[in-house]
């Protein structure tokens, strides 16, 4: 059949199925009214990845299957294959929804900082062949954003990475998820973390009466360059007269949602500080970068939930920090 494209994905529409295109999504469906048998194949166009193929699959399975159907296996068995810089992870389980029992099979293709998902849902095993045929004809563009952290990110990014400002019910500014893969070119400039303030209260163990307090104000100024290098300056003031400062410089990279900054710890030994990019908002006078509560260091395991859950009630209470770049 005639091939078509959805962004970076080339595909062949399955024969005999109705097509329903939406923004960055195209769905194909077939329904037999006499028998009640049906099949739905949905292709979801490229969105920013987490930088980890397993995390991409977990996020997409949770959003497209677990949250969509009444019942679905939380962690299905999966199979993985790789080709031309793309990694495909597929898995499925029985599900129950408004139209009864069915099988949902999801394939998530990750690479070059992007993620594409293909979901098949059917209640007759005979439709499995149609899903297989559709999958076998899918082709991905070779390169749309750089593949490695070193090159990561001075090319391939166009257009704004966020939309207009919006506020939640409490009047707080909403920092949306990036609408595309962020690059070192996006981060180029001077970012301010702070001024922040931390107060420690002391009490007498016997009486419980106040024994005074310590107040520390601190700020970090980081200058990122589009060539993948940075410099930063930390300054703090404790109780208005005790000061502390530190300077760092070195390389940094962005891989999916993972921002890695190489520097030195208090011991002087090299270390990598890792942040998970949670949100990005471009305003007329400033840009806001929201990072998941952390950071993590060197080989610390970052909980997968930070890469997969950005919208649930729980995610709003995990904590985050915001860096500001004034235009």
């Amino acid at each position: 059949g005639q091939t078509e494209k959805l962004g970076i994905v080339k595909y062949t529409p399955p024969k005999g199925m109705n097509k329903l295109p939406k923004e960055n999504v195209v769905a194909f469906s077939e329904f037999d009214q006499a028998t009640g048998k049906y099949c739905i194949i949905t292709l979801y166009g490229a969105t920013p990845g987490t930088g980890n193929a397993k995390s991409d699959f977990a996020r997409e399975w949770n959003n497209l299957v677990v949250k969509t159907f009444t019942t679905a296996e939380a962690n299905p068995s999966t199979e993985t294959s790789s080709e031309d810089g793309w990694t495909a992870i597929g898995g499925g389980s029985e599900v129950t929804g408004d139209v009864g029992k069915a099988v949902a099979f999801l394939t998530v293709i990750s690479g070059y900082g992007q993620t594409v998902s293909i979901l098949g849902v059917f209640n007759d095993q005979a439709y499995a062949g149609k899903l297989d045929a559709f999958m076998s004809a899918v082709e991905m563009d070779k390169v749309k954003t750089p593949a490695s952290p070193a090159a990561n990110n001075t090319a391939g990014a166009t257009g704004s990475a966020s939309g207009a400002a919006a506020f939640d019910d409490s009047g707080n500014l909403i920092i949306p998820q990036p609408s595309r893969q962020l690059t070192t070119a996006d981060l180029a400039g001077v970012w301010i973390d702070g001024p922040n303030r931390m107060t420690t209260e002391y009490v007498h163990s016997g009486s419980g009466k106040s024994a005074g307090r310590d107040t520390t104000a601190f700020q970090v100024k980081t200058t990122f360059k589009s060539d993948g290098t940075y410099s930063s300056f930390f300054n703090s003031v404790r109780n208005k007269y005790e000061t502390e400062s530190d300077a760092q410089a070195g390389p940094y990279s962005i891989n999916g949602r993972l921002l890695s900054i190489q520097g030195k710890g208090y011991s002087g030994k090299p270390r990598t500080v890792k942040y998970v990019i949670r949100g990005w908002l471009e305003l007329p006078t400033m840009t806001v970068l929201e990072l998941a509560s952390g950071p993590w260091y060197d080989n610390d395991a970052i909980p997968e939930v930070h890469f997969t859950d950005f919208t649930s009630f729980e995610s709003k209470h995990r904590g985050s920090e915001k860096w500001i770049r004034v235009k």
Side-chain angles (χ1 to χ4, degrees):
Q2 184 71 34
T3 59
E4 299 180 7
K5 289 204 71 176
L6 178 65
I8 65 173
V9 189
K10 183 187 294 183
Y11 66 92
T12 301
K15 295 181 180 179
M17 301 187 76
N18 297 316
K19 177 181 178 182
L20 178 61
K22 298 180 181 180
E23 184 178 358
N24 203 35
V25 178
V26 59
F28 301 93
S29 63
E30 182 176 329
F31 178 70
D32 188 329
Q33 292 184 343
T35 63
K37 298 176 180 179
Y38 70 89
C39 176
I40 302 172
I41 300 174
T42 308
L43 169 63
Y44 298 86
T47 57
T50 67
N52 181 289
K54 291 183 178 180
S55 295
D56 287 339
F57 181 86
R59 178 189 68 185
E60 296 300 289
W61 179 265
N62 185 60
N63 290 336
L64 300 179
V65 180
V66 175
K67 291 183 178 180
T68 301
F69 294 93
T70 305
T71 62
E73 188 173 336
N75 299 293
S77 299
T78 60
E79 294 184 356
T80 303
S81 62
S82 298
E83 184 178 356
D84 296 330
W86 296 99
T87 298
I89 298 182
S93 76
E94 292 186 351
V95 296
T96 304
D98 295 337
V99 290
K101 293 183 179 181
V103 172
F105 192 90
L106 176 69
T107 298
V108 178
I109 305 171
S110 303
Y112 306 100
Q114 301 182 79
T115 295
V116 169
S117 298
I118 302 168
L119 176 63
V121 180
F122 50 86
N123 64 353
D124 189 318
Q125 190 62 28
Y127 285 118
K130 282 204 170 186
L131 178 60
D132 290 341
F134 181 82
M135 286 297 309
S136 64
V138 167
E139 296 182 15
M140 307 293 292
D141 284 354
K142 298 298 182 184
V143 176
K144 295 304 287 186
T145 59
S148 66
N152 125 13
N153 303 311
T154 56
T158 57
S160 172
S162 70
F167 299 87
D168 61 20
D169 294 338
S170 300
N172 300 311
L173 183 65
I174 297 173
I175 313 299
Q177 297 179 53
S179 61
R180 58 168 173 78
Q181 172 65 47
L182 295 178
T183 71
T184 55
D186 290 312
L187 257 66
V190 179
W191 294 84
I192 303 296
D193 174 15
N196 301 295
R197 183 176 177 178
M198 180 174 62
T199 299
T200 304
E201 297 278 356
Y202 299 95
V203 296
H204 292 286
S205 58
S207 65
K209 294 182 178 181
S210 175
R213 67 172 62 178
D214 281 339
T215 300
T216 302
F218 61 94
Q219 183 181 74
V220 183
K221 178 188 292 186
T222 304
T223 302
F224 290 109
K225 295 183 179 180
S226 59
D227 64 1
T229 62
Y230 81 97
S231 61
S232 69
F233 180 75
F234 167 84
N235 186 59
S236 70
V237 179
R238 179 172 175 264
N239 292 336
K240 297 183 180 180
Y241 60 89
E242 298 178 20
T243 63
E244 181 183 0
S245 62
D246 182 46
Q248 296 273 349
Y252 77 97
S253 63
I254 309 173
N255 189 0
R257 287 188 180 270
L258 188 65
L259 171 62
S260 300
I261 303 174
Q262 298 182 35
K264 294 183 179 181
Y266 289 111
S267 65
K269 295 181 179 180
R271 73 173 182 182
T272 300
V273 184
K274 298 180 291 186
Y275 298 89
V276 178
I277 297 173
R278 180 182 173 89
W280 177 273
L281 179 62
E282 298 175 18
L283 299 172
T285 59
M286 70 178 69
T287 302
V288 183
L289 173 65
E290 184 177 29
L291 303 167
S293 181
W296 293 266
Y297 300 93
D298 297 324
N299 296 321
D300 287 350
I302 303 176
E304 192 169 284
V305 68
H306 290 291
F307 291 103
T308 59
D309 182 14
F310 300 92
T311 59
S312 73
F313 176 81
E314 292 80 5
S315 73
K316 298 177 182 178
H317 298 276
R318 290 193 191 102
S320 64
E321 58 182 274
K322 298 176 179 65
W323 297 357
I324 306 295
R325 179 182 61 190
V326 178
K327 295 183 178 179

